[in-house]
Amino acid sequence: MSGDCDFGLIGLAVMGENLALNVESRGYKVAVYNRTTSKVDDLMEGRAKGKNFVGTHTIEEFVKSVKRPRKLMMLVKAGPAVDALIEQLLPHCEPGDIIIDGGNEYYLHTERRVKEVEAAGLLYVGCGVSGGEEGALKGPSLMPGGSAEAWPHIKEMFQSIAAKVGPNDDIPCCEWLGAGGAGNYVKMVHNGIEYGDMQLICEAYQLLHELGGLTNDELYDVFEAWNAGELQSYLIEITRDIFSVKDEQGDGHLVDKILDVAGAKGTGKWMSQLALDLGVPSTLVTTAVFARGLSAQKEARVRASETLNGPSAASNPEMQAIAKSLVGDRAEFVEAVRQALYASKIVSYAQGFVQLQAASAEHGWGLDYGAAALLWRGGCIIRAQFLDRIKEAFDKDANLENLLLDEYFEKAVENAQEKWRKVVAVASIMGIPVPAFSTALCYYDGYRMARLPANLLQAQRDYFGAHTYQRTDQDGTFHTEWIQLRKEPKA
Ligand code: NBP
């Protein structure tokens, strides 16, 4: 038996409730269920009143109220809750039904669930959802992957509820990404890039505020100007807004009253861990994760600040003169920081796509990188104008090895690098930590070096552990008895 709903949604917390309303607003009839069933009643009596919804109080009633092949989406806490729900859904579902998980799930869980659910004759989709509560309601970025057969069934509905971009606002930020956990992986990299972007903006803020002496009102103007150019993005826009908000409980701006301890939910850490597993240097996200970790050691930092000294640059006229000669006057400094931010951001995205390529190769997903860039163009937290350029780069060359090799980005970094280097140098001279600006620059310099000092590293490994090495002038694997050949030490 099946009902007449086009779609079913489980999980009526912020994301689920708003997504259900979004789907209904596009002309679909929606069944809803929540473990705590009073939330179903609250929705039916509240925001869903008079709309095309069916509220259900058991999983069986929920499943039976949806048309076959059923499209049943979960937006619940990731992890065991999803496994528990799949177990409850399966006995009531029928072959061909589609179970969709919209949570921030670890991609390997989705890889496993695709196999388990397909073995039961159903289809399974792990769909990254980005854009928070507002995105879920008005148009999120959707990143689906899993059982490919499910895509034709959900495509129209998912593309209709997704954010739209393009000159006519008609290109949906929702495309099929690939098999298994591809959708969750792309969402995880999105979140990791978000970590990098936020850290870069925070470093720009500290430089402008502490070195440049800009007030919150001046920072507002700077971020407003930046948002009108190549840095245009949601994160720059909300940062601008933050500098305008006054503290309702006292004097001054709210941002100055907020404790400098950053929280994290873990997707940045996943991306860093997986980068290490793949052996790809995603240094921006890793640095951003560590920067949040250092911020969380607030009490230790306060103690250390009473003991550890930095350069006396702030009070040293000679150092200040060097800094000034590097970055010029205030306007030039602001522009230099903008260029450092832009170049570092390009490196961050380049690293994200390299990691996606490595993961896709390992799992055989056949990821479409241009599509991933397009999905991030609207609806999500990292939405930014320059994602159009990334899409264009992958449209030109689907197998582009690194974004930095695309002509547009190559030139952009080349144009920015002089100022970028000066900003990192000045920060170092003045004792201001810019871990993300610096690691981005180190990656750029390391990546463009035909020869790195790893020759010496290989010699060290062979010396102490007989790990062998290869030569530049001959094929084969070599080992040297370094102690026998070395110069006798004096002592
Ligand atoms: P939460 O992540 O806070 O989850 C709350 C929902 O999960 C409630 O409906 C709750 O039911 C249900 N739930 C739990 Br907890 N354990 C359950 C179980 N064992 N069986 C059935 N249901 C269970 O909600 P959210 O913030 O709306 O996020 C939903 C998903 O979307 C998460 O994976 C999240 O990571 C992801 N996401 C969130 C955002 C965001 O901005 N919040 C953005 C993008 C993605 P109950 O009412 O009975 O407790």
Side-chain angles (χ1 to χ4, degrees):
M1 194 193 83
S2 61
D4 63 350
C5 290
D6 304 294
F7 181 71
L9 192 129
I10 306 178
L12 297 176
V14 278
M15 292 301 285
E17 180 168 314
N18 282 299
L19 198 101
L21 287 159
N22 184 353
V23 174
E24 194 272 348
S25 75
R26 313 286 159 167
Y28 297 103
K29 186 167 183 178
V30 178
V32 289
Y33 171 77
N34 192 72
R35 179 182 60 174
T36 307
T37 52
S38 59
K39 286 194 188 162
V40 175
D41 302 332
D42 292 346
L43 176 68
M44 296 304 292
E45 290 302 312
R47 295 169 84 194
K49 201 174 177 86
K51 295 188 173 154
N52 214 4
F53 277 96
V54 173
T56 66
H57 292 89
T58 66
I59 288 278
E60 181 174 7
E61 188 194 353
F62 168 74
V63 173
K64 299 296 181 217
S65 62
V66 182
K67 278 183 213 160
R68 293 182 63 195
R70 300 183 174 90
K71 303 162 191 86
L72 308 173
M73 183 161 183
M74 302 172 283
L75 260 162
V76 299
K77 196 174 163 65
V82 175
D83 284 313
L85 274 173
I86 294 172
E87 209 172 297
Q88 293 169 53
L89 285 167
L90 284 180
H92 306 293
C93 288
E94 290 166 273
D97 286 352
I98 303 160
I99 299 178
I100 305 151
D101 173 21
N104 269 341
E105 189 53 270
Y106 188 61
Y107 84 107
L108 284 178
H109 294 169
T110 302
E111 293 266 311
R112 166 178 59 77
R113 288 172 191 148
V114 168
K115 290 190 190 122
E116 288 169 1
V117 172
E118 284 185 352
L122 277 71
L123 304 171
Y124 191 83
V125 175
C127 179
V129 179
S130 179
E133 166 175 10
E134 195 186 338
L137 181 65
K138 296 183 182 160
S141 166
L142 296 173
M143 297 159 242
S147 309
E149 272 178 70
W151 181 230
H153 297 286
I154 61 171
K155 182 176 175 179
E156 196 179 320
M157 178 186 292
F158 274 43
Q159 291 194 335
S160 80
I161 64 167
K164 307 289 184 306
V165 293
N168 304 316
D169 278 340
D170 59 354
I171 304 169
C173 294
C174 173
E175 247 329 313
W176 188 250
L177 286 165
N184 293 119
Y185 204 97
V186 169
K187 171 73 201 309
M188 176 194 72
V189 170
H190 161 282
N191 285 24
I193 287 176
E194 179 185 310
Y195 271 59
D197 276 356
M198 292 168 77
Q199 176 63 25
L200 289 169
I201 292 172
C202 288
E203 291 177 18
Y205 159 59
Q206 189 170 15
L207 286 168
L208 295 176
H209 184 54
E210 290 189 18
L211 282 189
L214 272 73
T215 63
N216 288 318
D217 291 337
E218 288 166 332
L219 285 163
Y220 181 94
D221 294 340
V222 165
F223 277 81
E224 176 151 83
W226 287 2
N227 200 40
E230 53 199 359
L231 279 176
Q232 187 284 322
S233 61
Y234 173 70
L235 284 169
I236 293 283
E237 185 186 313
I238 65 163
T239 305
R240 174 203 65 192
D241 294 349
I242 287 166
F243 291 122
S244 71
V245 174
K246 298 274 167 46
D247 182 11
E248 288 174 317
Q249 297 176 32
D251 295 337
H253 288 81
L254 180 57
V255 68
D256 296 329
K257 308 279 174 64
I258 296 178
L259 188 70
D260 55 327
V261 170
K265 280 196 173 165
T267 37
K269 187 175 82 177
W270 284 348
M271 180 174 164
S272 304
Q273 288 170 330
L274 291 167
L276 289 170
D277 289 345
L278 287 166
V280 293
S282 295
T283 61
L284 257 292
V285 60
T286 310
T287 298
V289 171
F290 285 146
R292 290 193 190 195
L294 189 58
S295 84
Q297 296 178 5
K298 172 78 177 175
E299 288 173 12
R301 286 189 291 112
V302 170
R303 281 194 300 277
S305 71
E306 287 156 11
T307 310
L308 304 179
N309 294 314
S312 53
S315 56
N316 181 331
E318 198 188 338
M319 298 276 256
Q320 280 183 346
I322 295 172
K324 193 160 172 41
S325 74
L326 284 173
V327 288
D329 65 16
R330 203 190 218 209
E332 283 172 307
F333 181 54
V334 171
E335 174 56 12
V337 172
R338 189 192 69 79
Q339 296 208 14
L341 176 51
Y342 187 48
S344 303
K345 185 176 163 90
I346 292 170
V347 168
S348 174
Y349 283 67
Q351 291 182 349
F353 278 94
V354 167
Q355 181 162 343
L356 283 178
Q357 286 166 332
S360 179
E362 181 170 287
H363 295 285
W365 292 330
L367 269 181
D368 179 338
Y369 308 106
L374 175 73
L375 305 194
W376 298 341
R377 179 67 186 85
C380 64
I381 305 298
I382 64 168
R383 60 184 182 261
Q385 197 177 51
F386 98 140
L387 282 156
D388 284 340
R389 298 292 188 177
I390 299 182
K391 165 119 179 63
E392 279 166 28
F394 283 110
D395 283 349
K396 260 191 285 167
D397 178 0
N399 298 313
L400 182 65
E401 203 176 327
N402 189 307
L403 267 185
L404 291 167
L405 300 176
D406 172 75
E407 204 184 338
Y408 175 84
F409 291 109
E410 185 194 318
K411 289 223 159 52
V413 173
E414 205 175 303
N415 290 338
Q417 69 168 304
E418 190 192 328
K419 299 265 169 39
W420 185 17
R421 290 179 192 286
K422 287 179 175 177
V423 166
V424 171
V426 164
S428 169
I429 289 171
M430 305 299 273
I432 302 281
V434 285
F437 280 3
S438 319
T439 198
L441 184 55
C442 287
Y443 175 86
Y444 177 68
D445 282 336
Y447 185 59
R448 63 178 192 83
M449 289 271 141
R451 187 165 169 83
L452 286 169
N455 52 328
L456 177 59
L457 195 138
Q458 284 299 84
Q460 291 165 336
R461 294 179 71 240
D462 192 53
Y463 189 127
F464 66 68
H467 291 301
T468 73
Y469 58 89
Q470 288 171 302
R471 296 179 59 104
T472 55
D473 55 353
Q474 293 172 48
D475 288 338
T477 301
F478 299 86
H479 167 62
T480 293
E481 293 299 334
W482 296 87
I483 293 183
Q484 287 173 20
L485 296 177
R486 72 178 182 177
K487 179 177 162 184
E488 273 310 309
K490 282 186 189 130

